[in-house]
């Protein structure tokens, strides 16, 4: 099974991802992983930290001469900011006195539940790991996993659908490559110049007021074969797995697949994607794609469309009411350096998280220990579906 764990504190020395279950023989382009890491760092509305970091993955295991060898793949990214935190984030008990203890939990953050649950005195012991800095390694793992499915023609793209009160239009009938090119050039990862201006103005206004902004990102995956995931068991349903992976991202409050919540408001006759058959291509077709590419927990073979809602960041420069943990006196939430809006980065994060889950489902379906074995299984299955 393809799976991964991450480790590392936001201001610790390094961030780590260990990816288990990657088959052998896949060419891995480290530069492409680093490009995704750089994409995650961009976007209008980020704070001072991104000027310090230059995220680059180092391979510690699992790749030899540019190819996977079947062993666990370990990727490491250095936190350049660690040099400013060395004493405060030290593992050495002799440095305990260096800590500036954080005692005012921020509403919306993991701070309060975290200190109570883990019986900690310093909120920093919670916030360091709860920080969205952790998504660096989800992007590294997801970008790696993308390279396990891209040889089979799977493409995954994330972009911004809305930020704050401004929704961005997507040009009708635009191809995925063109949409990728345009959104990549945008400062807020949209394909709508007018919306981009409005969003930048809203971010600026928010910054002035010490406030933060959330938004919705959309992920599209194309080139998927029918039948990834399964209807037979709850924890094998692909849409359920995607929702879990995406809802586990910092600040995510909602996930929709296809037309999502809107599906609950229309009649069945308007919603369901009618089936056709293309005799020359010997494939079943759909007249629409309201399902967003999944039915019964399996891919339909149509493009997958997932939308993810991120709440505004919980570190406010004009903080909300809170209580000091030590004195129990009324206070305001602690101020930490942070971003005003990280939604353009969230689009890259959601994109790579979806890529990882798709690669996991792909490897389960075509399971094998090498590229050659998986390719045989994949081709055999496509023949089977075509000859049905
Ligand atoms: C974050 C707070 C900020 C962000 C950080 C997420 O960190 P810092 O306090 O060091 O400025 O910059 O995001 C990243 C470091 C990143 O790589 O995305 C938080 O509290 O979640």
């Amino acid at each position: 099974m393809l799976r991964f764990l991450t480790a590392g504190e936001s201001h610790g020395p390094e961030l780590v991802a260990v990816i288990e279950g990657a088959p052998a023989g896949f060419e891995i382009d480290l530069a492409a992983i680093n490009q995704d890491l750089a994409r995650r760092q961009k976007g209008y509305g980020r704070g001072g930290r991104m000027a310090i970091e230059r995220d680059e993955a180092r391979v510690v295991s699992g790749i030899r001469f540019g190819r996977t060898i079947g062993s666990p793949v370990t990727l490491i990214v250095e936190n350049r900011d660690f040099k400013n935190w060395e004493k405060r984030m030290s593992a050495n008990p002799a440095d305990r006195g260096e800590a500036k203890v954080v005692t005012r939990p921020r509403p919306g953050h993991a701070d309060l539940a975290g200190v109570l649950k883990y019986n900690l005195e310093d909120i920093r012991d919670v916030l360091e790991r709860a920080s969205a800095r952790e998504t660096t390694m989800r992007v590294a793992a997801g970008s790696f996993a993308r390279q396990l499915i891209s040889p089979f023609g799977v493409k995954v793209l994330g972009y911004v659908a809305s930020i704050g009160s401004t929704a961005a239009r997507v040009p009708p009938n635009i191809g995925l490559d063109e949409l990728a090119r345009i959104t990549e050039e945008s400062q807020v990862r949209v394909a709508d110049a007018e919306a981009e201006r409005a969003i930048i103005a809203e971010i600026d206004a928010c910054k002035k007021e010490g406030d933060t902004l959330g938004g919705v990102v959309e992920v599209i995956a194309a080139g998927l074969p029918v039948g990834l995931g399964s209807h037979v068991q709850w924890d094998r349903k692909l849409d359920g797995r995607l929702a879990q992976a995406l809802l586990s991202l910092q600040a995510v409050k909602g996930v929709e697949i296809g037309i999502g919540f809107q599906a609950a408001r229309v009649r069945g006759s308007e919603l369901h994607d009618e089936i056709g058959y293309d005799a020359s291509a010997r494939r079943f077709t759909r007249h629409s794609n309201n399902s967003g590419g999944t039915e019964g927990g399996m891919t339909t073979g149509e493009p997958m469309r997932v939308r993810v809602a991120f709440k505004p960041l919980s570190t406010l420069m004009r903080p909300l009411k809170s209580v000091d943990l030590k004195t129990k006196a009324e206070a305001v939430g602690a101020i930490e350096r942070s971003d005003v809006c990280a939604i353009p980065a969230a689009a890259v994060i959601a994109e790579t998280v979806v890529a990882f889950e798709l690669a996991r489902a792909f490897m389960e379906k075509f399971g094998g220990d090498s590229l050659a074995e998986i390719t045989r299984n994949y081709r055999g299955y496509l023949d089977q579906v075509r000859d049905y």
Side-chain angles (χ1 to χ4, degrees):
M1 184 174 65
L2 189 67
R3 60 198 163 119
F4 75 102
L5 288 174
T6 72
E9 271 70 50
S10 177
H11 304 99
E14 290 173 340
L15 302 167
V16 183
V18 180
I19 306 157
E20 221 278 314
F26 282 79
E27 297 210 3
I28 299 300
D29 180 2
L30 189 59
I33 296 175
N34 286 331
Q35 200 181 338
D36 283 336
L37 289 173
R39 290 172 66 221
R40 193 200 71 91
Q41 286 201 263
K42 287 196 331 194
Y44 196 83
R46 295 284 249 160
R49 177 80 182 270
M50 288 306 99
I52 299 172
E53 302 299 342
R54 201 173 58 230
D55 295 339
E56 275 180 11
R58 186 161 56 87
V59 177
V60 175
S61 74
I63 298 175
R64 196 158 175 248
F65 309 127
R67 280 200 193 152
T68 56
I69 57 172
S71 65
V73 173
T74 308
L75 301 174
I76 286 185
V77 172
E78 181 198 351
N79 282 323
R80 292 176 140 214
D81 202 19
F82 177 62
K83 62 178 184 304
N84 304 314
W85 291 80
E86 225 170 323
K87 288 282 182 191
R88 283 179 286 169
M89 290 302 293
S90 169
N92 185 347
D95 295 325
R96 188 181 295 277
E98 301 284 339
K100 289 179 200 143
V101 178
V102 183
T103 58
R104 290 174 290 127
R106 292 159 293 174
H109 214 280
D111 298 353
L112 182 56
V115 288
L116 293 175
K117 176 175 165 63
Y118 286 87
N119 196 28
L120 297 165
E121 282 168 16
D122 187 351
I123 289 171
R124 180 155 304 286
D125 290 339
V126 174
L127 74 85
E128 283 290 333
R129 183 62 186 155
S131 164
R133 177 75 184 143
E134 184 260 349
T135 60
T136 309
M137 298 328 285
R138 295 213 226 185
V139 170
S143 182
F144 168 86
R146 185 210 301 274
Q147 296 190 37
L148 305 179
I149 48 175
S150 55
F152 302 97
V154 180
K155 287 183 181 175
V156 190
L157 175 70
Y159 54 90
V160 170
S162 67
I163 289 182
S165 61
T166 309
R169 281 185 307 265
V170 173
N173 302 321
I174 191 171
L176 209 54
D177 290 340
E178 182 63 1
L179 186 56
R181 195 187 60 74
I182 298 174
T183 52
E184 202 59 49
E185 283 171 6
S186 161
Q187 289 189 80
V188 288
R189 220 163 267 288
V190 297
D192 177 342
E194 199 182 310
E196 173 163 326
R197 281 192 291 277
I199 287 169
I200 288 174
E202 204 169 337
I203 293 173
D204 286 341
C206 235
K207 188 174 183 180
K208 252 190 215 150
E209 291 162 25
D211 220 330
T212 55
L213 269 183
V216 175
V217 310
E218 185 156 301
V219 181
I220 297 192
L224 295 164
V226 64
L228 299 186
S230 176
H231 64 291
V232 303
Q233 196 59 265
W234 68 272
D235 61 353
R236 293 175 61 189
K237 293 185 186 246
L238 185 61
D239 37 14
R241 285 184 177 185
L242 284 166
Q244 201 275 325
L246 290 163
L247 275 163
S248 73
L249 285 171
Q250 293 79 346
V252 172
K253 282 297 189 186
V255 174
E256 291 185 319
I257 296 180
I259 68 167
F261 272 51
Q262 181 59 19
R265 295 183 203 111
V266 298
R267 294 192 172 191
S269 56
E270 293 169 68
L271 173 72
H272 297 298
D273 305 312
E274 290 185 303
I275 299 169
Y277 188 71
D278 178 346
S280 60
R282 289 201 286 160
R283 67 180 290 266
F284 293 95
T285 58
R286 298 299 178 119
H287 300 307
S288 55
N289 187 22
N290 292 330
S291 76
T294 67
E295 280 175 347
M298 293 172 280
T299 50
T300 60
E302 300 299 312
M304 174 167 279
R305 198 167 131 235
V306 185
R307 287 161 74 86
V308 192
F310 289 78
K311 69 181 179 180
L313 298 170
S314 46
T315 304
L316 304 184
M317 294 307 140
R318 191 181 287 177
L320 297 175
K321 280 190 196 127
S322 183
V323 170
D324 189 283
L325 292 176
K326 267 195 190 150
T327 63
K328 311 293 187 291
E330 206 174 279
V332 291
I335 296 180
E336 293 274 323
R337 179 186 58 191
S338 191
D339 307 317
V340 177
C341 173
I343 302 303
V348 178
I349 299 162
E351 168 188 306
T352 46
V353 163
V354 167
F356 193 94
E357 287 310 308
L358 293 177
R360 190 150 90 98
F362 194 97
M363 291 304 148
E364 273 171 14
K365 177 80 189 90
F366 303 113
D369 297 308
S370 69
L371 173 60
E373 191 177 6
I374 291 163
T375 305
R376 279 198 302 278
N377 294 345
Y378 173 75
R379 288 194 185 137
Y381 175 71
L382 290 193
D383 288 346
Q384 174 199 306
V385 170
R386 204 176 302 117
D387 296 344
Y388 177 83

